[in-house]
Amino acid sequence: MTNNTPVTLKFLAEKLKMSVSTVSKALNNYPTINEYTKKRVQEMARELHFTPNKSAINLKEKKSRIIGIILPNLLDHFFTRSIYGVEQFATQNGYNVIISQSHDDLEKEIQSANMLLRSRVDGLIVAISKHTQDFAHLDQFENMGIPVVYYTRNPSFNLSCHKVLGNTFQGCYKATQFLINRGHKKIAYLGGPKMINFTHDRFNGYINALKDNGVPFSADLVAYTDFDKENTISAIQNLFDNPQNTPTALVAFKEPILFDAIKYLRSINHPNLDQIECIGFGNTSFISYLDSPPIASVEENPESVGENAIKLLLQLINREIDMENYQKVMVDCKLIVHEA
Amino acid sequence: MTNNTPVTLKFLAEKLKMSVSTVSKALNNYPTINEYTKKRVQEMARELHFTPNKSAINLKEKKSRIIGIILPNLLDHFFTRSIYGVEQFATQNGYNVIISQSHDDLEKEIQSANMLLRSRVDGLIVAISKHTQDFAHLDQFENMGIPVVYYTRNPSFNLSCHKVLGNTFQGCYKATQFLINRGHKKIAYLGGPKMINFTHDRFNGYINALKDNGVPFSADLVAYTDFDKENTISAIQNLFDNPQNTPTALVAFKEPILFDAIKYLRSINHPNLDQIECIGFGNTSFISYLDSPPIASVEENPESVGENAIKLLLQLINREIDMENYQKVMVDCKLIVHEA
DNA sequence: ACAATTATTTCAAACGTTTGAAATGAGTTT
DNA sequence: AAACTCATTTCAAACGTTTGAAATAATTGT
């Protein structure tokens, strides 16, 4: 049932014995085209299943109505949820989205960037890989006048770029404050990989909450881990190695890390485990299945982060905001207290 | 720092004082072009950051080197993992991937299909929405000579399409067999939404394993649920409502459903909960955090499903397999027994 | 009936590439 | 010096669309 001649404007024009431009204008509902003509053209187009060729349109219009997203991976629910926000708003505004995973690999990120550049995306939203230090592959876009919005993972030192971030400082502050309010004095902080910049923002939130409440800070109560399990366990061992002076609460960088930590403490039958209250970033749906769930979660509102990123990007694309007028948008976190 | 004149072949040609075709051929490494010329062109291209315009190429070549994926959503790890397989193999073969979520909404699925059609994807991989009964929006592709591979969720009644499926019959058979081998006689089956076709394949796997082992079947031991929590609970109530004649094992359609079930049984303090052995489809990473984890999981190998889908699709695109020669590929499931 | 006005359609160029055919240029051979 | 090679470059058309300007057709006023 395969058609051999593709259905193009030209083909329609020949069928209808009129010019290509009339057909084009009729389909695009130009006011100068006679209503009856429009009807005939549209009917024929429908009948023959005419589908405009986007490549041709892009070429002519010099824009693709595609926006690109580069992110580390799709297995992290933060990112998949953020895409939801992007896609929703993009589609509403007539844009399509190409998602490309870097798998936290710089080489792959460069490849993704190049392919999106060749595809002439109208704008780019990117969460950089763990290893991105050099930004040549991303700067290309701005050099070609294509706006870039960094979201979540961004070059922290660089002020000359547009950013949309979770207000992770505030999230960690809230979490710490919450634990202090519940009477905890020895609150541990388990941070994430040090090269991810907001590890430090969270730490600052933690520190500031302590300070503002007159709770003394102790370096013994701070440890770091990457997402690796063994690493987490040894960090936890450091934090909890002193049985008579053990933390009573824990703020963790991300829930999977927290779960590993809790699991470990259970496995060694930590004496005060029941009294330890934990909070992690993420608000995973799986929490409801855990037997000793965290007392609360820091909800980072990824959909909102995504939505803010695409909103900003569209403003840049439409030149409603000047590209050199660098924006920084912060999305608040919300502390979700889980029912007992 | 925005360039005003875009760097095109023409622009390079003018700079180098040669014709557009020479530049094009030089960049594409034509043998008729002088080596020194090639060097000069390539150098200039690099220097000016020339990026070929994919829309123009697509238009000329009549192919996009893009393959489209439509799937219900990205929150289900089955799908995100399957994408991994697709992307990997696609990239290796010079194809890019556009992912579009239907959110299990038919209208959205139709929109996605149309946009991918306009983008002139070279092939389509699709897992249909729960509500897809009519396939006009997907048949369009085949009518235009664009191959379509259905994966996982597919029109079960339709033999005239290419399919890549998890061998869900075999997976459920294995799970049931495993439980029988462990001495269970009263094994419950908790199925998924009836409109998802492989709900029935799994049921058949269950039934056949019972039959092959001479274990009597009882309709009381079968219940269905969609992904809704209340629904699951009432299904579980039906299965376990008779305290003196309760199942000793359970095979569940999908792990989140299983987790809801277990959680409910705990919440009512079901007397024999400790003896009940459960298996679900999915092999979620979160299992390791559960206190009463399933004894085993049916691993559906989504990466492999994805990889098989893209492999088949590429063969169809390259006309190595005739489009009318409908293929059906089954990917085996693996039973993963969790350590105690 | 003829110009003037308005409605409608068509022309033609452009977007950035690719590619077979034709042209050019530099050597060779006679 | 004419004729022939061969290497290299250029021409020109094509892909499918959009759009301002020009052309044509239909309607109105006088």
Side-chain angles (χ1 to χ4, degrees):
Chain A
M1 211 51 68
T2 303
N3 280 348
N4 26 10
T5 27
V7 182
T8 64
L9 289 184
K10 192 170 154 207
F11 185 75
L12 290 182
E14 277 160 14
K15 283 264 175 211
L16 289 160
K17 297 187 193 318
M18 44 176 91
S19 77
V20 173
S21 25
T22 307
V23 175
S24 169
K25 287 174 175 167
L27 289 172
N28 288 308
N29 206 29
Y30 267 53
T32 66
I33 301 293
N34 181 285
E35 284 306 320
Y36 175 63
T37 309
K38 284 185 191 171
K39 199 137 293 170
R40 281 188 32 199
V41 171
Q42 277 153 9
E43 222 154 67
M44 181 66 73
R46 184 166 29 256
E47 196 179 316
L48 299 183
H49 298 106
F50 169 73
T51 314
N53 185 318
K54 221 163 166 287
S55 296
I57 297 174
N58 293 349
L59 181 59
K60 189 80 231 298
E61 310 264 85
K62 291 158 166 286
K63 55 188 200 141
S64 60
R65 296 218 146 237
I66 293 178
I67 81 110
I69 306 185
I70 299 178
L71 38 70
N73 70 74
L74 292 172
L75 294 176
D76 184 333
H77 269 29
F78 180 90
F79 291 120
T80 40
R81 285 179 58 194
S82 72
I83 288 173
Y84 188 87
V86 175
E87 215 186 35
Q88 188 120 321
F89 199 78
T91 312
Q92 273 169 34
N93 289 72
Y95 282 81
N96 292 124
V97 171
I98 297 187
I99 303 157
S100 191
Q101 304 184 62
S102 69
H103 300 292
D104 259 326
D105 179 273
L106 179 57
E107 204 44 56
K108 183 74 183 55
E109 182 176 287
I110 293 174
Q111 275 175 31
S112 299
N114 289 337
M115 92 83 170
L116 292 173
L117 200 62
R118 279 195 296 277
S119 299
R120 293 289 190 279
V121 293
D122 292 342
L124 181 70
I125 294 177
V126 53
I128 59 179
S129 90
K130 261 196 290 221
H131 309 107
T132 307
Q133 307 271 185
D134 180 87
F135 293 83
H137 57 299
L138 298 170
D139 291 341
Q140 294 178 91
F141 287 83
E142 306 219 274
N143 293 337
M144 289 181 64
I146 301 171
V148 177
V149 170
Y150 291 85
Y151 87 124
T152 320
R153 299 231 210 127
N154 70 96
S156 51
F157 49 85
N158 187 351
L159 296 172
S160 305
C161 62
H162 303 277
K163 301 178 183 186
V164 177
L165 308 171
N167 192 343
T168 197
F169 170 93
Q170 173 249 21
C172 208
Y173 189 103
K174 274 190 182 172
T176 311
Q177 178 75 64
F178 176 80
L179 293 169
I180 294 171
N181 290 352
R182 289 180 65 85
H184 293 283
K185 299 270 177 251
K186 299 173 73 64
I187 302 170
Y189 173 72
L190 178 55
K194 286 193 184 172
M195 65 253 280
I196 296 187
N197 53 326
F198 45 74
T199 300
H200 309 292
D201 298 331
R202 290 188 190 171
F203 177 70
N204 286 334
Y206 164 77
I207 285 287
N208 275 53
L210 293 182
K211 202 186 301 171
D212 291 355
N213 289 275
V215 177
F217 165 72
S218 154
D220 299 352
L221 292 176
V222 176
Y224 293 91
T225 173
D226 55 21
F227 297 113
D228 184 65
K229 198 167 188 156
E230 270 110 64
N231 218 292
T232 303
I233 289 175
S234 77
I236 282 291
Q237 283 171 336
N238 282 338
L239 290 175
F240 288 80
D241 66 350
N242 186 348
Q244 57 266 55
N245 185 26
T246 195
T248 62
L250 174 64
V251 179
F253 185 74
K254 218 171 172 53
E255 268 160 2
I257 291 177
L258 176 58
F259 300 158
D260 280 331
I262 294 176
K263 191 180 171 194
Y264 171 74
L265 291 174
R266 291 196 140 224
S267 75
I268 61 161
N269 260 308
H270 187 88
N272 311 89
L273 182 56
D274 295 347
Q275 283 94 278
I276 299 174
E277 296 191 324
C278 301
I279 301 184
F281 278 72
N283 194 28
T284 321
S285 61
F286 274 87
I287 282 183
S288 64
Y289 303 124
L290 295 174
D291 281 305
S292 40
I295 186 161
S297 295
V298 182
E299 164 62 73
E300 298 174 274
N301 296 312
E303 291 86 353
S304 171
V305 174
E307 194 175 315
N308 276 282
I310 180 71
K311 275 185 182 163
L312 173 55
L313 189 66
L314 288 182
Q315 288 177 303
L316 290 163
I317 289 175
N318 298 330
R319 302 293 186 258
E320 292 162 23
I321 296 178
D322 193 79
M323 264 182 62
E324 332 269 77
N325 175 15
Y326 294 109
Q327 304 287 315
K328 181 171 180 177
V329 179
M330 296 290 246
V331 176
D332 277 354
C333 296
K334 194 173 166 190
L335 193 73
I336 308 277
V337 180
H338 300 298
E339 303 145 36
Chain B
M1 212 52 65
T2 303
N3 279 348
N4 26 9
T5 28
V7 182
T8 64
L9 290 185
K10 192 170 154 209
F11 185 75
L12 290 182
E14 278 161 14
K15 283 264 175 210
L16 290 159
K17 296 190 195 315
M18 44 176 91
S19 77
V20 172
S21 25
T22 307
V23 175
S24 169
K25 286 173 176 169
L27 289 172
N28 289 309
N29 207 30
Y30 268 54
T32 66
I33 301 294
N34 182 285
E35 285 304 321
Y36 175 63
T37 308
K38 284 185 192 170
K39 200 138 292 169
R40 282 192 0 169
V41 172
Q42 277 153 12
E43 221 154 69
M44 181 67 73
R46 184 165 31 254
E47 195 179 317
L48 299 183
H49 299 105
F50 169 73
T51 313
N53 184 319
K54 221 162 166 287
S55 296
I57 297 175
N58 293 349
L59 180 58
K60 191 78 230 298
E61 309 263 85
K62 290 161 167 285
K63 55 189 198 139
S64 60
R65 295 218 146 239
I66 294 178
I67 82 110
I69 306 185
I70 299 177
L71 39 70
N73 69 75
L74 292 172
L75 295 176
D76 184 333
H77 268 29
F78 180 91
F79 291 119
T80 42
R81 286 179 59 194
S82 72
I83 288 174
Y84 188 87
V86 174
E87 217 186 34
Q88 188 119 321
F89 199 79
T91 313
Q92 272 170 36
N93 288 71
Y95 283 81
N96 292 123
V97 172
I98 298 187
I99 303 158
S100 191
Q101 305 183 62
S102 69
H103 301 290
D104 259 324
D105 179 273
L106 179 57
E107 204 43 57
K108 185 73 184 53
E109 181 176 287
I110 293 175
Q111 276 176 30
S112 297
N114 289 337
M115 93 86 167
L116 292 172
L117 200 63
R118 279 195 296 277
S119 297
R120 292 292 190 276
V121 293
D122 292 342
L124 181 70
I125 294 178
V126 53
I128 59 179
S129 90
K130 261 197 291 222
H131 309 107
T132 308
Q133 307 272 183
D134 180 86
F135 292 83
H137 57 299
L138 298 170
D139 291 342
Q140 294 178 91
F141 287 82
E142 306 219 274
N143 293 337
M144 289 181 65
I146 302 171
V148 176
V149 170
Y150 290 85
Y151 87 124
T152 319
R153 298 229 211 129
N154 70 97
S156 50
F157 49 85
N158 187 351
L159 296 173
S160 305
C161 62
H162 303 277
K163 300 180 182 184
V164 176
L165 308 172
N167 193 342
T168 197
F169 171 92
Q170 173 248 22
C172 208
Y173 189 103
K174 274 190 183 173
T176 311
Q177 177 77 63
F178 176 82
L179 292 169
I180 293 171
N181 290 352
R182 289 180 64 87
H184 292 282
K185 298 270 176 254
K186 298 174 75 64
I187 302 170
Y189 173 72
L190 179 55
K194 287 193 184 173
M195 64 254 280
I196 295 186
N197 52 324
F198 46 75
T199 299
H200 309 294
D201 297 333
R202 291 191 188 169
F203 177 71
N204 287 333
Y206 164 77
I207 284 289
N208 276 53
L210 292 182
K211 203 186 299 170
D212 291 355
N213 289 275
V215 177
F217 165 72
S218 154
D220 299 352
L221 293 176
V222 176
Y224 293 91
T225 173
D226 55 22
F227 296 113
D228 184 64
K229 197 169 189 157
E230 270 112 64
N231 219 291
T232 302
I233 289 176
S234 77
I236 281 290
Q237 283 171 335
N238 281 339
L239 290 175
F240 288 80
D241 66 349
N242 186 350
Q244 56 266 54
N245 183 28
T246 197
T248 63
L250 174 63
V251 178
F253 184 73
K254 218 171 172 50
E255 269 161 2
I257 290 177
L258 177 58
F259 300 157
D260 280 330
I262 294 176
K263 191 181 170 192
Y264 171 73
L265 290 175
R266 292 195 138 227
S267 75
I268 61 161
N269 262 308
H270 187 88
N272 311 89
L273 182 56
D274 294 348
Q275 283 94 279
I276 298 175
E277 295 191 324
C278 302
I279 301 183
F281 277 71
N283 195 28
T284 321
S285 62
F286 274 86
I287 282 184
S288 65
Y289 302 124
L290 294 174
D291 281 305
S292 38
I295 186 161
S297 295
V298 182
E299 165 61 74
E300 300 175 274
N301 295 313
E303 292 86 354
S304 173
V305 174
E307 195 175 314
N308 277 282
I310 180 72
K311 275 186 181 161
L312 173 55
L313 189 65
L314 288 183
Q315 288 176 303
L316 290 164
I317 290 175
N318 298 330
R319 302 293 186 257
E320 291 163 23
I321 295 178
D322 193 80
M323 265 182 63
E324 333 267 76
N325 176 13
Y326 294 109
Q327 305 286 314
K328 180 171 179 177
V329 178
M330 295 291 246
V331 176
D332 277 353
C333 296
K334 195 173 165 192
L335 193 74
I336 308 278
V337 180
H338 300 298
E339 304 144 37

